[in-house]
Structures are given as structure tokens and as C-alpha cells.
Amino acid sequence: MTGPVAHVIADDAEALAVAAALAAEFRTGAARRDAERRLPRLELDRLSDSGLLGITVPHAHGGADVPAETLAGVFRLLASADASLAQIPQSHFVYVAVLRRQGSAEQQKFFFEEVLAGRRLGNAQSEAGTQHVQDIRTRLVPQPDGSYVLEGTKHYSTGALFADWIPVLARGADEELHVAYVPRHAPGVTVLDDWDGMGQRTTASGTVRLESVLVPRDRVVPHHLTFRGPQLHGALAQLLHAAIDTGIAEGALTEAAEFVRAKSRPWFESGLETAAEDPLLIQQFGELALTVRAAGALLSEAARTVDAAAGGLTDDTAAEASIAVAAAKVQAARAAVEAGSALFEVAGTRAALNGLNLHRHWRDARTHTLHDPVRWKVQHLGRYVLNGTRPLRHGLL
């Protein structure tokens, strides 16, 4: 593939500074993009050009190799501005991590160059109509020359419509899980923009059809090996989801405060000149701030735990990382939904006007937090604390 080369970010500080600048830029049009369901193609090109998509490429391959704490901070900033836009590259970083762990030297060299150049990885992972989320029926059929043919249909394929490469989760002839990295416009690949969710409207998380797609041997990674020992695959993926929820909560709280200061009227019984002086509203904002700050604190702790585990990966450190991320995910999900809903209570009737589109925060939170049930996170927390039971190695913890 050819095309313009993206900026290469040097370190953590630059990554966070670039993310903050882009968040400020993306925030201005977020409500309108959501209301009109205008897909953020130009904004994603800005994201690619900025170099943020390459920040987890290892130093040896020319990347900044930022830790999980910085990566979570980047997602938190982007999601506070536009939750849909932040969701799109989540799988990109997950499948860069798959290459880091299971890719061959040649695969790493090729794909890390692609990523540093600003190429985007999407995803074709989930399937509909199967028994459960890990019932993967897409197949990689081996051919006599060592290549494969890919057959299947994927749903909730966030990022695929905007991708250069689509990582496809599939089972081989041995029923083991593999990831096939397929060009977005390869023959037999059809990406449908049929996502119709009430929230995260501009993620284009639609359907991917794979019909007799030819895949060379060197584009397939043995993902099943990821789970043969202690791993951080699930912890990293879930950490980014928690960062998105935390960002949604922070964005909703910030917009609520701005609205109350600028537009809300005081209740007549208060005898006050402005709504922002109302002690009852001040109390509500204080309680919301505690909830949102707790989400941010648990997110930071979880990210540091993931980074510590990466520096010395064992069954125990991997379990600690998964449990810390589970706690962060639960609190972030609660904070996002609560802040998105409480926005209307503190801001008043005018905040419900459809033209303001303040309800996008709640819709985004309610939609994104359905990604995987937090009730099972709480179960794992309880089992770990009470009985010392380590979480299972299934990639969703």
C-alpha cells in the first residue's frame, strides 16, 4: 500500500498533548455529527496523520511504545469529546497488540510500518445468531499452496468501514482461533454501513461479509497461542473500553456544568440570582464529581497494574491486572450512565430539547456499556477477593 506517511510521535508527553489537541478540535462538531449521523472520515484522517495510531509500536520498530497508562489517557481524552470517534480505533490497538505477541518477525516488520504510516486496523470479530460471543463460526479453509480461503459474516464490526486492514477472527481446520489480516478492499470483502444503534451513531459498526476471500499464509496470526499462558490481551482491550466510558462520564459532567452556568435558570424558591449558586445543585454536582473521579482513579490504577504486569508477566500478575481492569470497567460504566442521565436533572427542562443533542452522552454511554456485561466483572471481583479465584483466560477480562 502506498500513501502519505503520518507523523511519528516520540513519547508519552507528545501522545497526550496531541490527543488533547485533537479532542478539542473534535469536540466542536461532535453533537452535529451525531445528530446528522455524519461519519467522521475527515476526523479519522486527522487521527491517522497525527501519529496517534502508531504510539504502541515497539521502539525497535520506530514507535513510541507508550505504556497502557498513556494509551488509556489518550482514549479518555478522545472519548470526552466524541465517544463514537474514540470507539473506532479501539480494535486497532487491540490487534496491534496481537501482532506484538504472536506475529512473526516478518509480520511485525510489515504491519508496524503500515501502522506508523497511519494505516488503520478495523475489526471483524463478533457474530450474530450464534450460541454466545465466543461461538465463532467464520472459517479459514487451508489450501494446497499453504494459503487460506476465508468464509463468514461478522457483525458489530467497528472500524471496518474506515480501515485499511481488517483483522478477522476465525477458526482454522483444527478449530483453533486465528486472526487473518485482510485488506479492506480485497475481493470477496463487503462492508455494510448498516449500524442502527441509538448511541455511538457514527462508529459505522456494521456487517462484514467474507465470501471466498483469499488470504496468504503470512497474513494469518495464531491467536489461540495468546491464551496458552498468562496474557494481557483481555485486560488491555477492556482497559480501553473503561477509558472510553470514563471519557463519556467526564464529557457529560463538563457539558452539564457549562450548561448550568450559562443557560439554566434558578428555581424560584431558592431566591438566588443564578442556578450555579443553588446549594442543592452544588450538592448534586459534588456527588457526580465523586462518581466520575472514582472512575478516573480506578482507570489510572488499572492501567498502572497492566503496565506492571507487562514488566513481569505471571499468572498472578495477569490476574491482578484483569481484576484491576474489571473494577475500573464497572465503575466507569456506572459513572458514564449516571452522568449522562443526571445531566438533565441538574440542567433542567431546556436541556431535553432535541436540537441541543445533550442526550448523546447518555445514548453513547448506554450503548457502549452493553459491550460486555459488568455484572460478570463484579462476579470475578467477588470470586477473586473471597476465594482467590483467578479470572479465566478468555480475552474479555
Side-chain angles (χ1 to χ4, degrees), residues 255-256 258-267 275 343-359:
E255 192 151 6
E258 290 172 350
F259 192 95
V260 168
R261 286 193 298 266
K263 298 177 181 177
S264 294
R265 297 184 299 177
W267 184 242
L343 185 157
F344 301 99
E345 171 66 19
V346 297
T349 306
R350 187 179 175 189
L353 292 176
N354 200 51
L356 296 174
N357 200 15
L358 294 177
H359 47 69

Side-chain angles (χ1 to χ4, degrees), residues 199-366:
Q200 294 201 300
R201 289 176 172 175
T202 61
T203 59
S205 301
T207 302
V208 173
R209 292 177 182 161
L210 306 151
E211 300 169 300
S212 300
V213 179
L214 297 177
V215 183
R217 176 188 291 180
D218 63 357
R219 294 294 179 262
V220 176
V221 174
H223 189 37
H224 59 279
L225 297 180
T226 300
F227 307 103
R228 297 282 173 85
Q231 49 82 33
L232 296 173
H233 175 78
L236 179 66
Q238 291 295 305
L239 181 73
L240 300 186
H241 285 305
I244 292 169
D245 288 338
T246 301
I248 292 172
E250 291 172 336
L253 182 59
T254 297
E255 192 151 6
E258 290 172 350
F259 192 95
V260 168
R261 286 193 298 266
K263 298 177 181 177
S264 294
R265 297 184 299 177
W267 184 242
F268 72 95
E269 292 180 282
S270 72
L272 298 169
E273 291 295 320
T274 67
E277 297 174 278
D278 185 341
L280 298 179
L281 277 181
I282 289 171
Q283 181 70 20
Q284 284 183 288
F285 270 99
E287 296 291 347
L288 279 174
L290 284 173
T291 299
V292 175
R293 280 175 173 264
L298 284 173
L299 178 70
S300 296
E301 180 193 20
R304 289 191 294 269
T305 306
V306 170
D307 286 329
L313 192 58
T314 66
D315 285 331
D316 287 335
T317 61
E320 286 284 349
S322 289
I323 289 298
V325 172
K329 181 69 164 61
V330 172
Q331 181 64 23
R334 291 173 176 173
V337 173
E338 182 178 345
S341 177
L343 185 157
F344 301 99
E345 171 66 19
V346 297
T349 306
R350 187 179 175 189
L353 292 176
N354 200 51
L356 296 174
N357 200 15
L358 294 177
H359 47 69
R360 75 185 186 281
H361 298 291
W362 182 86
R363 288 188 289 98
D364 286 340
R366 187 64 281 177

